Amino acid sequence: MITPSTFTRRQFIRAAALGAGCAAIPSVLAHSHTAKSLNSNGMASNSIGLQLYTLRDIMKVSVPATLKLVSAVGYNELEFAGYFGHSAKEISTILDGEGLTAPSAHIQLDDFDNNLEKVLDDAQTAGHKYLVVPWLSEAQRGEGIAPYKALAEKLNVIGEACSKANITLAYHNHDFEFEVRDGEIPLDVLITETDSDLVSMELDLYWAVKAGKDPVDYFKQYPGRFKLWHVKDMATDGSFADVGTGVIDFETIFAHGNVAGIEHKFVERDQTGDRIATIEQGYKAVSMLNSTL
C-alpha cells in the first residue's frame, strides 16, 4: 500500500494519467483531522495551511488528486496560486469533498486591474476570505519610492472593492520590499500608507529573514497587520529548507502570533526535490509550533 512517504511524483503522474488520480490515493491515507481548538483570539489554533505553489507541478497533472493528498497528510487550509484549468465552482466542490477550506488565494496585480469583478466572484465561489498580491515585476517596482507610494494608493482602492465583497486584500513580500529607496523601506510604506481595515500583510518569514529583518520586530512595530504568514525555512547557506530543519527561529515568531494578528499560516517551499517529504515535514513542524500560539 502506498503511504505519503512512498507516494512518489512518478506514481502520482502515472495514476493521474491513467485517470485514477483521485482513486489511487484515498485508500492510501486515512484522514486524521482533529476538532479545532481556539486560542485566546478565537482563532483556530491548530489550523495548518499549505501554499499550493509548493506543489505547482503536480497540480498541473491533477488538482483533485493533489488536494486529496494534501488533505490526507493532515492540512485543513489551502492558499491557491492558480486553479489550473478548473472553475471556481469546481474548486469549491473538490474542497468540500476533501474537508478542506481555502481562506486565501494569490492574484496577480494585473488581474485585479483587468478582471476585478471576476476575481471577486471567483473568490466568493471558492470561499476565499483573503486575496493576496504575491509579486511585483521589475517594471512594477520601478525606481525610487514613488512606485510603492502609488501602489499603496492602488491597494486602498482595490481593498475597498474587496471589502464590499466581504474579502480582505493582502500583500505578500519578498526580499526586495526591504531595500531602502530614497531613505524609505518599501514594505513600511505599503503598511503605513494603506488603510489597515482594507489591506493586510502576508509576511513571508523566509524572505523577511533573508533580507536581514526580524519578523517579531515588524509585529511589534505594526501590531495586528500580519494576518497571514508564509512559513518557510532557510538552510545555513541561505537557500530554502523544509520547515523546522533550517535556521529560522519559528518558536519565537509563533510565540508572538497574537501580536502579529495571525489568522492563517501557510507552509511553503519555493523549490524542493521531494515535495511529499516537504509537505509532511511542514505539517509536523507547524503542528508542534501551533502549541505556542
Side-chain angles (χ1 to χ4, degrees):
M1 182 173 70
I2 302 170
T3 68
S5 297
T6 61
F7 191 75
T8 65
R9 181 173 182 270
R10 179 176 296 177
Q11 289 168 323
F12 183 101
I13 293 174
R14 181 174 180 274
L18 291 172
C22 296
I25 301 176
S27 62
V28 173
L29 306 161
H31 294 267
S32 59
H33 300 302
T34 57
K36 292 184 179 181
S37 58
L38 300 180
N39 64 16
S40 60
N41 283 344
M43 301 172 190
S45 60
N46 72 335
S47 170
I48 304 177
L50 178 69
Q51 165 50 259
L52 289 168
Y53 183 76
T54 308
L55 303 178
R56 59 195 178 277
D57 56 345
I58 58 176
M59 285 282 282
K60 294 176 183 177
V61 176
S62 173
V63 170
T66 304
L67 299 197
K68 187 173 290 294
L69 173 63
V70 169
S71 175
V73 169
Y75 290 93
N76 50 25
E77 293 187 342
L78 299 175
E79 182 174 61
F80 275 82
Y83 292 163
F84 295 87
H86 290 268
S87 69
K89 179 59 178 175
E90 289 169 338
I91 292 296
S92 176
T93 299
I94 298 168
L95 290 169
D96 289 345
E98 297 304 329
L100 295 165
T101 62
S104 182
H106 279 193
I107 304 294
Q108 296 296 329
L109 187 59
D110 286 345
D111 287 328
F112 282 111
D113 288 339
N114 301 323
N115 302 295
L116 181 58
E117 185 174 350
K118 185 178 188 304
V119 165
L120 295 178
D121 286 345
D122 284 350
Q124 290 176 324
T125 299
H128 305 320
K129 302 302 181 185
Y130 286 89
L131 293 177
V132 185
V133 176
W135 169 260
L136 297 178
S137 68
E138 290 190 14
Q140 289 170 326
R141 296 173 218 171
E143 297 182 3
I145 200 63
Y148 287 94
K149 290 182 177 291
L151 176 59
E153 293 182 9
K154 175 180 284 191
L155 293 179
N156 280 328
V157 173
I158 299 172
E160 185 172 7
C162 289
S163 180
K164 291 177 180 177
N166 294 316
I167 293 167
T168 301
L169 182 68
Y171 181 88
H172 168 274
N173 68 279
H174 288 78
D175 54 351
F176 56 79
E177 291 92 347
F178 295 99
E179 298 171 354
V180 177
R181 291 187 171 202
D182 299 333
E184 297 186 73
I185 296 175
L187 188 65
D188 291 53
V189 169
L190 294 179
I191 295 172
T192 58
E193 298 193 14
T194 54
D195 186 330
S196 61
D197 291 331
L198 299 177
V199 182
S200 293
M201 296 291 141
E202 178 173 67
L203 192 69
D204 188 301
L205 302 176
Y206 169 90
W207 287 114
V209 173
K210 182 82 168 177
K213 302 299 182 180
D214 184 344
V216 173
D217 288 344
Y218 264 82
F219 301 160
K220 292 178 179 178
Q221 186 174 0
Y222 306 111
R225 289 303 299 272
F226 301 95
K227 305 296 187 184
L228 313 170
W229 294 346
H230 274 190
V231 184
K232 184 190 309 180
D233 213 342
M234 180 186 295
T236 54
D237 64 357
S239 62
F240 301 115
D242 288 348
V243 178
T245 68
V247 300
I248 293 181
D249 182 7
F250 289 114
E251 288 189 10
T252 299
I253 292 170
F254 272 62
H256 289 82
N258 287 341
V259 178
I262 187 64
E263 293 181 3
H264 303 286
K265 308 168 294 293
F266 301 105
V267 169
E268 186 188 35
R269 181 167 174 175
D270 295 27
Q271 301 167 355
T272 173
D274 188 335
R275 294 150 192 80
I276 304 240
T278 287
I279 65 172
E280 286 185 319
Q281 172 59 30
Y283 178 81
K284 176 182 176 182
V286 175
S287 294
M288 297 178 64
L289 288 162
N290 269 345
S291 63
T292 65
L293 279 174

